[in-house]
Amino acid sequence: QEQLVESGGGLVQPGGSLRLSCVASGFTFSRYSLNWYRQAPGKERELVATMSSAGDRSNYVHSVKGRFTISRDNAKNAVYLQMNSLKPEDTAVYYCNARHPTILGSVFWGQGTQVTVSS
């Protein structure tokens, strides 16, 4: 069964750092583009960062550019989100997502991990 499991969330002070991890199982991880989304209370889910299946292209929402870095390790079936210079507005539940670039509907979600930025 396809599964994504996130970890690494928590409480951090403004200006601090966290590294989120997401480990996949049950599908051919290397063929999927990978994404991190977040959803803050009362807001819609937002795409934060993406990485192509080949790992050669990444994109970020404007509000996190220069602060967040997405990476993948196909040998470990893992995707990471390094978050630096965190701000209170980064507080949200963060979800990893795997999407096949050509097979419609082949999309998997993790259960989410809470990130809280507060002093």
Side-chain angles (χ1 to χ4, degrees), residues 8-71:
L11 173 64
V12 63
Q13 292 188 341
S17 298
L18 281 176
R19 187 193 194 211
L20 305 183
S21 300
C22 175
V23 177
S25 60
F27 61 97
T28 309
F29 181 81
S30 61
R31 296 181 183 174
Y32 284 69
S33 63
L34 301 169
N35 312 285
W36 285 97
Y37 287 76
R38 66 185 179 187
Q39 188 166 20
K43 294 189 176 181
E44 293 188 355
R45 192 169 293 190
E46 173 187 44
L47 178 59
V48 175
T50 70
M51 174 160 277
S52 63
S53 56
D56 56 348
R57 286 175 285 118
S58 60
N59 284 292
Y60 302 89
V61 67
H62 178 75
S63 59
V64 308
K65 278 184 180 177
R67 300 189 298 122
F68 289 13
T69 303
I70 187 172
S71 61

Side-chain angles (χ1 to χ4, degrees), residues 73-85:
D73 184 341
N74 287 344
K76 296 182 179 180
N77 279 5
V79 58
Y80 306 101
L81 186 67
Q82 178 66 44
M83 305 186 294
N84 299 328
S85 302

Side-chain angles (χ1 to χ4, degrees), residues 99-115:
R99 184 181 303 272
H100 197 282
T102 59
I103 300 176
L104 226 68
S106 189
V107 180
F108 310 119
W109 289 91
Q111 82 287 353
T113 186
Q114 176 70 47
V115 172

